[in-house]
Amino acid sequence: MLKSLFGKKQRVEEEKIVAPLSGKLVRLEDVPDPVFSQKLMGDGMAIEPSENLVIAPFAGQVIQVFHTKHAIGLRSRLGVELLIHIGLETVNLSGEGFTPLVKEGQKVKVGDPLMEIDLTLIRDRAASTITPIVITNSDSIAYIKKAEPDIVKKGESPIIEVKLK
């Protein structure tokens, strides 16, 4: 709790984001795509996936399933907006290799399945399987703490912690 300017205690809201995929955690700056590495869409991390299932990294709501199925937008219960962009240049696959398991507007909890992916197809036909996980409403974030690159397990390994303004 922090004291506000008016002497009342104010709650600091924190959101923990766990890995939505199992694999190798990578700094966003190391993603071989300038849109993500230069944080043009926001700050975050990336995962080089080792499994075919993407899960919800926090409790919240699905706000977008892209028509090309290569990305999902989520909003946490506290208002953090997150983009999970599966692979690089995967928009060109026109949905092939992606099976959404949720719909826009659907509520999710940590660990709920969001999408099945065909890693072999993505490896063969896209630029990379590396999956950026980006906070798209960074203007509402007061503080972000990111985990060090390591092997992560979906639904368990914390990768990002944010405090909201």
Side-chain angles (χ1 to χ4, degrees):
M1 301 287 254
L2 294 177
K3 274 193 169 181
S4 75
L5 294 174
F6 304 106
K8 294 182 181 178
K9 293 198 176 186
Q10 182 181 355
R11 234 173 107 180
V12 175
E13 300 286 1
E14 288 184 359
E15 188 77 65
K16 290 186 182 179
I17 300 168
V18 298
L21 293 149
S22 292
K24 182 181 176 191
L25 188 65
V26 177
R27 286 183 178 89
L28 200 58
E29 297 85 349
D30 297 331
V31 171
D33 182 322
V35 170
F36 296 107
S37 64
Q38 294 175 17
K39 302 179 184 177
L40 300 177
M41 296 187 77
D43 204 353
M45 295 294 288
I47 295 175
E48 182 66 51
S50 60
E51 294 180 355
N52 295 326
L53 184 66
V54 181
I55 59 102
F58 51 55
Q61 184 175 20
V62 177
I63 55 174
Q64 186 171 17
V65 177
F66 286 68
H67 73 280
T68 50
K69 304 174 188 171
H70 73 289
I72 295 178
L74 303 168
R75 183 180 300 115
S76 76
R77 61 183 176 75
L78 297 178
V80 175
E81 293 181 4
L82 194 73
L83 172 71
I84 302 172
H85 190 285
I86 304 156
L88 300 178
E89 296 182 29
T90 48
V91 68
N92 300 327
L93 298 177
S94 300
E96 194 175 351
F98 304 95
T99 306
L101 303 172
V102 291
K103 293 183 169 94
E104 288 180 16
Q106 185 173 331
K107 302 264 190 230
V108 293
K109 61 185 184 308
V110 175
D112 284 352
L114 299 176
M115 174 100 53
E116 286 182 2
I117 59 175
D118 184 337
L119 275 179
T120 303
L121 182 135
I122 295 168
R123 252 186 225 108
D124 292 345
R125 303 206 13 228
S128 174
T129 59
I130 198 161
T131 299
I133 300 141
V134 178
I135 297 168
T136 57
N137 64 334
S138 54
D139 56 330
S140 64
I141 304 299
Y143 171 81
I144 182 169
K145 180 181 176 186
K146 297 181 270 186
E148 289 298 315
D150 200 353
I151 301 302
V152 292
K153 187 169 181 182
K154 71 178 179 283
E156 294 181 17
S157 305
I159 61 168
I160 302 170
E161 182 179 307
V162 296
K163 290 183 183 174
L164 294 129
K165 291 181 181 174

